[in-house]
Amino acid sequence: MKRRDFLGGVLSGTGLLGLGALLAGLTRRRVRAEGTVWQIDPWKCTACGRCATECVLEQSATKCVHAFELCGYCQLCTGYFEPQPNRLNTAAENQLCPTGAINRAFIEDPYYEYTINESLCVACGKCVKGCTMFGNGSLHLQIRHDRCVNCNECSIARACPAEAIRRVPARQPYLYKTREGPA
Amino acid sequence: MIPVLAVQRFPPPQFTETGHLLPPLTGPLSRALTLEYLDVAVLLGALALAAWLALRQRSRNWLATLGIFSLLYFGFWRKGCVCSIGSIQNIAQALGDPSAGVPLTVLAFGLLPLVFALLFGRVFCAAVCPHGALQDLMLIKPVAVPPWLEHGLRLLAHTYLGLAMVFAATGGGYIICQYDPFVPIFRFSGATALVVAGVALLVVGLFIGRPYCRFLCPYGVLLGLAARLSRWRVRITPDTCTQCRLCEQSCPVGAINPSTLDAPVRDAAADKRRLVWLIALLPVLLAAGLGLGGLAGTNLARRHRIVNLAERVHQEDLGLAADTTDASAAWRATGAPVADLYTAAQDLRRRYVLAGRLCGLWIGLVIGLKLITLAIRRRRKDYEADQARCIACARCYLYCPQELRRLGLPVPEAPPSALEGVVASDRPQAEAQSRS
């Protein structure tokens, strides 16, 4: 029995050393003190709308956000209005957004400001598509970290056809669009 | 088609009249790093407590309580992510791809239970893993699984581990997370098929102790390997074993190796012949694994999005596919040269073939060694917990009359009635009857 205990001790010691070696090998370059979260690279996003449906949450963790510094404050916003709207007003039939999640406010002639009501947004990407195709592309999609449960494998990242979703450092969890363009 | 780079078609206004300021663009922060470290601290505390409760206190009730805590904290509160089972994929990816990093917290989740398994056996499974705790709660009437089925089904877990490592190390995704049956239950949302699978496993788990842990869990394979070497381990009896056979049927996961004192006498020469044949079979199995693994690797590579995309683009360029998919359209919009895509795909396919071969070797080795160990006759005086399979749930302790004496509890004369109808014996029924 004593010999067995000794052998067991030697083996478990070897195992611990092995784990230690694995740890040391990883630590050399690959271990990061900081965690990561998932984020959409808006410059790669094609607004296909899969974020709205593929997230493990019943209501996707993705929402539309607005980079105001890129926005042209257009009166005829192609992210806000249906193609060929009847009138340029806030009536529901003129709006592109299926849930009416974009607020349109007059600032000064001829500029209007568009803000996203995140509680209504379903991340369908319709406004993003409209704004990027015909406007400045200031509306874009981002994963919101009050909602995201940070799955080890993000299911919208798996479904994304443009490979736009990647892990980013948790300290800088957003990849907002800026005037400087893609980083 | 959306242009990938937006253009400033409309210059941003100056707001000279009103002096309007642009609203700030902010978003809710991600979970604080201190909270991530708190998770690791809770894991460490729970592991230490589980080891103490299982090996020192020998208390089933307190272990079950700790299991409920782990289920609530790691399961329903932390939504099952990141878990130790999945974290081995992050480690494999970091090992396979130098550019991929692994966060310290994920590494801790992956390695701490293994370190504890090396020292104390599978105490992680006992009361720290939320998957195990959930199934443990559902277990009402364990039925023994025949040994041939038990050993056969356990190969599923080894295969699952091998495949998961292939996909993780090549960057092809985390299949353990993708097909996890219980995390959708923790989140109260998820793919229908997975919720059905999870509920089905729980229903099966009413009668078969911990089906996921025993037959599917890839991390359990690693923990079992580590637990074989464990320094301190579950001992059914606190004193000397009297071969009373009361504990024989107490284990819900079939991890008690019976005493061989009264086992039927076998033909030693035939045993030896069989052993020689099985040892000779091992290189054959390894070679078969190597060959089949390489073949499988080529096919598994198709699951990788880059390989898939390259094949699609190739088909479109040859005119075999009329339209574009979202993925190929997005790739074409980037204007990247097609040669780069093909090179990347070929490189990936090579890595898949290598990983597939290693996986095939692993599965061949597991099958070969399993056959050999099953053929080796072992002499065992006492009833002992199998180090690799025992999940340290502490159920067997109270079946041991020596334990009851230690605790000062009344020792029943006959086996408890709850055991009737549970068939766990793999020896001839007639022999058991002749004994009683």
Side-chain angles (χ1 to χ4, degrees):
Chain A
M1 240 16 221
K2 270 195 181 145
R3 187 178 58 181
R4 196 176 167 176
D5 280 354
F6 173 74
L7 279 177
V10 168
L11 282 175
S12 68
T14 318
L16 273 177
L17 277 180
L19 280 185
L22 176 68
L23 191 72
L26 280 169
T27 317
R28 267 194 312 159
R29 278 194 309 273
R30 299 167 192 179
V31 176
R32 319 256 192 272
E34 202 185 2
T36 57
V37 291
W38 296 97
Q39 195 49 272
I40 302 171
D41 184 341
W43 301 102
K44 286 185 179 171
C45 172
T46 55
C48 65
R50 281 185 177 76
C51 289
T53 52
E54 300 291 326
C55 182
V56 293
L57 298 175
E58 211 168 315
Q59 288 177 31
S60 174
T62 308
K63 298 280 177 189
C64 181
V65 297
H66 198 184
F68 294 101
E69 63 173 59
L70 275 175
C71 180
Y73 284 76
C74 313
Q75 190 172 16
L76 171 54
C77 172
T78 49
Y80 183 83
F81 288 110
E82 283 270 6
Q84 283 110 39
N86 294 327
R87 290 237 177 111
L88 293 189
N89 64 20
T90 57
E93 79 264 22
N94 301 327
Q95 291 187 31
L96 192 58
C97 180
T99 57
I102 307 178
N103 293 326
R104 181 178 191 253
F106 174 75
I107 304 293
E108 64 176 59
D109 196 50
Y111 299 129
Y112 287 80
E113 187 165 87
Y114 300 89
T115 45
I116 310 290
N117 182 350
E118 273 190 22
S119 60
L120 293 180
C121 176
V122 293
C124 65
K126 286 197 166 97
C127 61
V128 177
K129 216 165 201 166
C131 178
T132 316
M133 280 223 263
F134 305 110
N136 285 356
S138 54
L139 290 166
H140 58 284
L141 294 169
Q142 288 283 280
I143 293 169
R144 305 306 267 176
H145 291 295
D146 54 339
R147 307 180 50 78
C148 177
V149 291
N150 200 16
C151 300
N152 202 15
E153 187 184 57
C154 173
S155 55
I156 54 172
R158 193 168 60 234
C160 177
E163 293 192 53
I165 303 177
R166 62 168 197 254
R167 292 177 190 268
V168 297
R171 241 179 314 173
Q172 285 149 348
Y174 293 96
L175 296 170
Y176 292 127
K177 273 188 169 179
T178 60
R179 278 188 204 174
E180 282 82 52
Chain B
M1 168 68 49
I2 292 192
V4 169
L5 289 188
V7 274
Q8 297 274 71
R9 295 188 181 93
F10 307 98
Q14 296 299 318
F15 301 120
T16 43
E17 276 176 46
T18 53
H20 175 71
L21 293 175
L22 300 185
L25 178 53
T26 54
L29 292 176
S30 57
R31 202 159 173 271
L33 190 59
T34 44
L35 287 178
E36 304 279 329
Y37 284 138
L38 177 73
D39 289 345
V40 176
V42 173
L43 175 76
L44 192 61
L47 281 168
L49 195 57
W52 184 66
L53 289 173
L55 303 186
R56 207 62 203 271
Q57 287 299 103
R58 299 168 65 88
S59 164
R60 168 74 204 145
N61 286 345
W62 280 111
L63 265 184
T65 313
L66 179 62
I68 291 172
F69 164 78
S70 300
L71 176 62
L72 293 176
Y73 186 84
F74 295 113
F76 289 103
W77 168 244
R78 292 293 302 122
K79 309 277 184 218
C81 248
V82 58
C83 77
S84 299
I85 308 173
S87 67
I88 52 174
Q89 300 168 111
N90 302 58
I91 297 173
Q93 191 182 12
L95 286 172
D97 175 5
S99 66
V102 52
L104 197 57
T105 48
V106 176
L107 190 68
F109 263 83
L111 294 188
L112 279 178
L114 284 172
V115 171
F116 270 78
L118 270 175
L119 297 173
F120 308 109
R122 294 171 66 173
V123 290
F124 172 75
C125 306
V128 185
C129 178
H131 291 53
L134 181 62
Q135 291 171 85
D136 226 41
L137 279 183
M138 297 297 290
L139 182 62
I140 49 168
K141 187 162 177 60
V143 178
V145 179
W148 62 269
L149 189 60
E150 167 103 31
H151 287 295
L153 285 176
R154 275 171 57 78
L155 289 176
L156 284 178
H158 291 87
T159 313
Y160 195 16
L161 173 69
L163 283 176
M165 292 299 101
V166 169
F167 282 117
T170 51
Y174 292 174
I175 56 169
I176 300 175
C177 302
Q178 195 181 335
Y179 299 113
D180 193 292
F182 297 125
V183 169
I185 295 175
F186 297 148
R187 290 196 188 111
F188 299 116
S189 78
T192 318
L194 288 180
V195 176
V196 171
V199 172
L201 273 175
L202 288 181
V203 170
V204 170
L206 293 173
F207 306 105
I208 293 177
R210 299 208 186 192
Y212 181 82
C213 308
R214 279 158 92 185
F215 308 131
L216 289 170
C217 181
Y219 195 59
V221 173
L222 295 178
L223 287 172
L225 286 176
R228 272 176 205 278
L229 313 173
S230 59
R231 184 74 190 77
W232 296 274
R233 56 189 62 133
V234 165
R235 290 187 63 225
I236 300 171
T237 174
D239 203 343
T240 48
C241 176
T242 57
Q243 277 88 39
C244 66
R245 305 178 63 168
L246 288 173
C247 66
E248 197 177 23
Q249 292 154 352
S250 66
C251 185
V253 296
I256 294 181
N257 290 325
S259 163
T260 53
L261 284 183
D262 50 355
V265 181
R266 297 204 301 198
D267 179 1
D271 273 10
K272 220 164 264 174
R273 269 199 304 279
R274 186 192 300 142
L275 188 60
V276 169
W277 275 112
L278 289 175
I279 291 174
L281 185 65
L282 184 62
V284 180
L285 283 170
L286 289 179
L290 197 70
L292 289 175
L295 284 179
T298 324
N299 286 304
L300 293 178
R302 294 221 171 88
R303 245 185 75 113
H304 196 284
R305 58 173 70 185
I306 303 272
V307 180
N308 202 348
L309 176 65
E311 282 186 349
R312 176 75 196 182
V313 167
H314 186 59
Q315 281 183 353
E316 287 170 13
D317 287 353
L318 289 178
L320 296 172
D323 52 347
T324 57
T325 61
D326 280 355
S328 68
W331 175 79
R332 283 177 194 282
T334 61
V338 72
D340 288 1
L341 181 67
Y342 289 166
T343 320
Q346 270 161 0
D347 189 42
L348 270 169
R349 187 173 288 177
R350 267 195 297 276
R351 288 177 61 189
Y352 264 92
V353 169
L354 174 66
R357 285 194 179 134
L358 289 175
C359 174
L361 270 183
W362 158 252
I363 295 171
L365 185 72
V366 166
I367 296 176
L369 288 184
K370 170 140 276 182
L371 290 173
I372 290 171
T373 45
L374 284 177
I376 292 175
R377 268 193 70 187
R378 261 168 239 241
R379 289 201 183 78
R380 210 179 294 104
K381 193 162 75 61
D382 298 343
Y383 281 78
E384 284 169 1
D386 185 278
Q387 288 159 40
R389 280 179 289 158
C390 171
I391 50 159
C393 69
R395 280 192 178 82
C396 54
Y397 295 156
L398 276 183
Y399 284 80
C400 182
Q402 303 278 48
E403 173 81 359
L404 295 178
R405 265 183 219 114
R406 180 182 79 94
L407 295 171
L409 294 170
V411 180
E413 288 304 312
S417 59
L419 283 181
E420 281 172 22
V422 181
V423 183
S425 174
D426 54 347
R427 46 177 104 185
Q429 204 66 36
E431 194 213 347
Q433 279 166 4
S434 70
R435 232 183 105 91
S436 60

